[in-house]
C-alpha cells in the first residue's frame, strides 16, 4: 500500500551545501546552529540569530548573498563549492573575503582575534558568560575599527 504522507521537497543545492558542511565534519562533531550563530561574530559586527540561521538552512527563506558568504565562512565552504551550488555572486564575494583575510595584515589581525576568543573559550565560566565576553571583545574591535575609519575620513577632508 503506497504511503499517503506528503514527501518533503529536497533542499536547494546552496542550502544543502551549508547544511552538509555544518553536519558532515569527519572526526569533528557537527556544529550546532547556535554555535554557528555565535561564530558569525568572528566574521561580522552584524551577525544574525540562530533562529535566522535555522530558517535559512531549512530552506524557509532565500539566503541573501551577504548572509550566505557569512554562513560559508563559518562552515568552511570553499568558493568552488559555493559556485557549484549555483551561487556565483556569493562565490565571488567569498573569494574576495578570503583573499582579504589572507593578506599579511588581515591574517595577523584574524589570528590575534581568534587567539583572544580561544583564551576566552578556555576559561572555566559558563557558555553564556563566555559568549558575553566574546561579544564585548568584538565590540571593542569594532569600536577601534570605527575610530580608525573616522580618522581616515577626517584626513581625507584635509587633503588639498
Amino acid at each position: 500500500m503506497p504511503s499517503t504522507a506528503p514527501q518533503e521537497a529536497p533542499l536547494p543545492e546552496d542550502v544543502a551545501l551549508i547544511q552538509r558542511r555544518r553536519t558532515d565534519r569527519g572526526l569533528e562533531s557537527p556544529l550546532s546552529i547556535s554555535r554557528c550563530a555565535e561564530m558569525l561574530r568572528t566574521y561580522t559586527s552584524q551577525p544574525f540569530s540562530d533562529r535566522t540561521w535555522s530558517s535559512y538552512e531549512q530552506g524557509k527563506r532565500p539566503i541573501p548573498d551577504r548572509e550566505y558568504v557569512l554562513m560559508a565562512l563559518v562552515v568552511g565552504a570553499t568558493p568552488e563549492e559555493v559556485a557549484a551550488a549555483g551561487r556565483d555572486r556569493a562565490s565571488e564575494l567569498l573569494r574576495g573575503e578570503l583573499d582579504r583575510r589572507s593578506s599579511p595584515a588581515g591574517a595577523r589581525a584574524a589570528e590575534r582575534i581568534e587567539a583572544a576568543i580561544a583564551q576566552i573559550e578556555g576559561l572555566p565560566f559558563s557558555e553564556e558568560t563566555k559568549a558575553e565576553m566574546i561579544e564585548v571583545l568584538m565590540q571593542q574591535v569594532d569600536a577601534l575599527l570605527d575610530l580608525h575609519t573616522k580618522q581616515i575620513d577626517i584626513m581625507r577632508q584635509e587633503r588639498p
Side-chain angles (χ1 to χ4, degrees):
M1 178 172 192
S3 172
T4 57
Q7 297 259 337
E8 285 191 34
L11 291 173
E13 185 55 35
D14 62 333
V15 174
L17 170 63
I18 297 296
Q19 188 179 76
R20 186 171 56 253
R21 295 289 268 147
R22 181 181 66 76
T23 59
D24 296 343
R25 301 182 56 80
L27 296 176
E28 295 289 322
S29 60
L31 290 168
S32 70
I33 288 176
S34 61
R35 177 68 181 128
C36 288
E38 287 174 20
M39 291 170 69
L40 288 170
R41 294 184 188 117
T42 304
Y43 300 103
T44 182
S45 62
Q46 299 172 331
F48 47 89
S49 71
D50 54 346
R51 187 173 295 168
T52 299
W53 183 295
S54 180
S55 179
Y56 287 152
E57 194 175 294
Q58 292 172 13
K60 292 180 179 177
R61 296 174 20 184
I63 310 171
D65 286 332
R66 174 193 175 275
E67 283 78 359
Y68 195 86
V69 169
L70 290 168
M71 293 173 84
L73 286 166
V74 167
V75 300
T78 66
E80 295 77 19
E81 290 173 315
V82 171
R87 296 295 297 256
D88 293 334
R89 177 69 180 134
S91 175
E92 292 171 22
L93 293 171
L94 177 59
R95 185 174 313 284
E97 185 65 17
L98 291 172
D99 288 347
R100 185 183 68 77
R101 289 176 180 275
S102 68
S103 72
R108 180 171 171 251
E111 286 173 11
R112 293 196 63 198
I113 291 170
E114 287 173 18
I117 290 171
Q119 286 176 323
I120 292 169
E121 289 175 340
L123 294 173
F125 298 121
S126 71
E127 292 303 312
E128 182 178 306
T129 298
K130 290 188 277 189
E132 287 178 40
M133 292 175 73
I134 291 169
E135 177 61 27
V136 169
L137 171 67
M138 296 311 298
Q139 288 173 358
Q140 291 171 333
V141 169
D142 291 338
L144 177 62
L145 293 173
D146 290 344
L147 286 170
H148 172 73
T149 300
K150 183 64 177 169
Q151 181 181 24
I152 296 297
D153 290 344
I154 290 168
M155 293 175 79
R156 285 186 181 140
Q157 293 170 4
E158 291 293 318
R159 286 176 78 188

